[in-house]
Amino acid sequence: MRIVILHDAVNESSRPDEVDALHQAELVGDVLGELGHRVSTAEVGLDLAELSSKLRRSTPDLVFNLVESLEGHGRLIHVVPAMLEAWRIPFTGSGGTACLVTTNKPLAKAWLHQCGIPTPAWRCLQVPPLLDITPPCICIVKPVWEDASVGIEDSAVTRIERDGELDAVLQRASSRSGESFAEQFIEGREFNLSLLADGHDVEVLPVAEIEFIDFPADKPCIVGYAAKWREGSFEYGATRRRFDLADSDDDLLERLRTLAAKCWHHFGLQGYARVDFRVDRSGQPWVLEVNVNPCLSMDAGFMAAAQRRGLAVDEVIQRVISVVFTPCTRREVAFHA
């Protein structure tokens, strides 16, 4: 097949999470070449007319969509898949609607809540939440639209004593960093569940727990931007992924798998995805985020889970491609420890 890989345009001032788009494109391109496909790549910015011209010239059988933002704007993640849908060009990963709904974090949480999937209480200034935060409590303030832990530092976790205080915190965060919302902070364990389409089914890959190693008592246990992207930082070295979980966790892991699969069905996901959880001290799991088209770099969580399952990189890429032409019926789910 003729396959075009689309990825974010990057430059000298791009953040590490943005530059990672190049690493993903290189990895995917190498694998697709080894599988016998004719591969080309294209950066995507805000000039969508240029994108249209490129695709008309290359006449691809398939687009491998790695676009996570347009010129650094995560809220535009849905534009490329929506355009590909309009042009009727087959492409990998989730569609425009799923990308839009899951990237708007408060909207995604509203969908989760209405579906009966537990998610922490939240508040944003723009839309009244369905499950509002009630001070006093500890909150974490996050960007509404950004992924990759952009904007998440230790200072994002704060104790709120009074109701008016929370709105003031949100106003400051929004004026400084863009549209923000507050979420009740769940103190406890953190888990990532990766999901991979498998023909007409979806497979929940082995559950990963994030360990917070030797965190000081006054330091919030979060996977912030430093933990993901600042090599050499304390957080980068002290947040570790593990798959070897105790037998006593079996019931909890089954609940996490079931909830992750419900997220897949509820949001109409395709190809591959990741669902992030916190589990409180009583053992109750809470969905933090649903991530469409998560990072495919070899050191990221999705590929780590796939390797734990025993899947080679080419097998993962082949399954992501195959499901484009064999749409998942979203009826059956395969779980693997």
Side-chain angles (χ1 to χ4, degrees):
M1 287 192 297
R2 293 187 303 275
I3 300 179
V4 175
I5 301 171
L6 299 182
H7 63 84
D8 298 23
V10 299
N11 54 48
E12 297 79 6
S13 61
S14 296
R15 301 185 308 261
D17 62 285
E18 296 171 322
V19 174
D20 189 65
L22 296 179
H23 304 317
Q24 293 186 67
E26 181 178 359
L27 171 66
V28 172
D30 288 345
V31 172
L32 292 175
E34 292 171 0
L35 291 172
H37 301 291
R38 288 176 286 171
V39 182
S40 60
T41 62
E43 291 189 334
V44 181
L46 289 175
D47 190 344
L48 299 178
E50 181 185 6
L51 172 61
S52 176
S53 297
K54 287 179 180 177
L55 292 177
R56 280 201 303 269
R57 289 194 302 269
S58 57
T59 61
D61 300 301
L62 174 73
V63 165
F64 203 110
N65 179 33
L66 295 175
V67 177
E68 299 178 358
S69 66
L70 295 180
E71 293 194 3
H73 299 286
R75 69 187 301 157
L76 299 178
I77 187 176
H78 67 285
V79 171
V80 168
M83 293 184 71
L84 293 172
E85 288 168 334
W87 296 333
R88 298 187 178 182
I89 298 175
F91 63 95
T92 61
S94 290
T97 300
C99 289
L100 174 62
V101 173
T102 56
T103 302
N104 183 318
K105 304 302 186 297
L107 179 58
K109 289 171 69 65
W111 279 42
L112 289 166
H113 179 65
Q114 289 180 318
C115 190
I117 298 173
T119 188
W122 75 97
R123 183 184 299 182
C124 57
L125 298 175
Q126 293 75 19
V127 181
L130 299 178
L131 190 62
D132 198 8
I133 293 173
T134 303
C137 65
I138 299 175
C139 295
I140 180 168
V141 178
K142 303 177 179 180
V144 166
W145 293 99
E146 302 301 329
D147 289 316
S149 292
V150 171
I152 306 297
E153 308 288 348
D154 285 358
S155 59
V157 180
T158 183
R159 181 168 182 81
I160 303 297
E161 298 292 346
R162 298 174 299 279
D163 194 61
E165 183 182 350
L166 178 55
D167 287 346
V169 167
L170 283 174
Q171 288 171 350
R172 289 194 297 270
S174 296
S175 63
R176 181 178 61 249
S177 306
E179 196 174 348
S180 302
F181 76 104
E183 181 179 72
Q184 187 166 345
F185 183 63
I186 305 298
E187 297 188 72
R189 303 167 71 183
E190 181 150 339
F191 294 87
N192 304 146
L193 275 77
S194 298
L195 301 100
L196 176 63
D198 186 12
H200 291 289
D201 304 331
V202 58
E203 179 177 356
V204 181
L205 299 177
V207 179
E209 179 174 11
I210 303 300
E211 294 186 290
F212 300 96
I213 310 297
D214 297 328
F215 269 52
D218 60 347
K219 184 176 181 62
C221 291
I222 59 174
V223 183
Y225 193 82
K228 287 187 176 180
W229 303 107
R230 293 185 186 133
E231 296 186 29
S233 68
F234 166 80
E235 295 88 346
Y236 192 89
T239 49
R240 302 176 191 169
R241 184 186 305 114
R242 70 171 183 140
F243 294 98
D244 293 313
L245 302 172
D247 292 343
S248 58
D249 285 326
D250 285 351
D251 289 343
L252 170 62
L253 300 185
E254 186 64 21
R255 292 175 68 192
L256 293 176
R257 295 184 190 107
T258 299
L259 288 170
K262 285 184 69 175
C263 291
W264 176 277
H265 301 323
H266 181 58
F267 288 99
L269 307 184
Q270 291 281 3
Y272 58 114
R274 192 188 73 245
V275 182
D276 298 336
F277 290 86
R278 295 283 285 204
V279 176
D280 65 26
R281 289 169 181 168
S282 72
Q284 170 66 47
W286 302 89
V287 174
L288 300 183
E289 293 185 9
V290 178
N291 297 277
V292 296
N293 307 352
C295 178
L296 291 177
S297 295
M298 290 305 300
D299 58 350
F302 188 90
M303 281 302 187
Q307 288 183 311
R308 177 73 177 192
R309 168 71 177 88
L311 296 172
V313 178
D314 61 333
E315 293 177 283
V316 173
I317 300 301
Q318 183 59 57
R319 281 171 57 170
V320 170
I321 292 172
S322 297
V323 75
V324 177
F325 304 101
T326 310
C328 180
T329 60
R330 304 186 183 93
R331 291 180 181 174
E332 299 182 24
V333 180
F335 294 154
H336 288 280

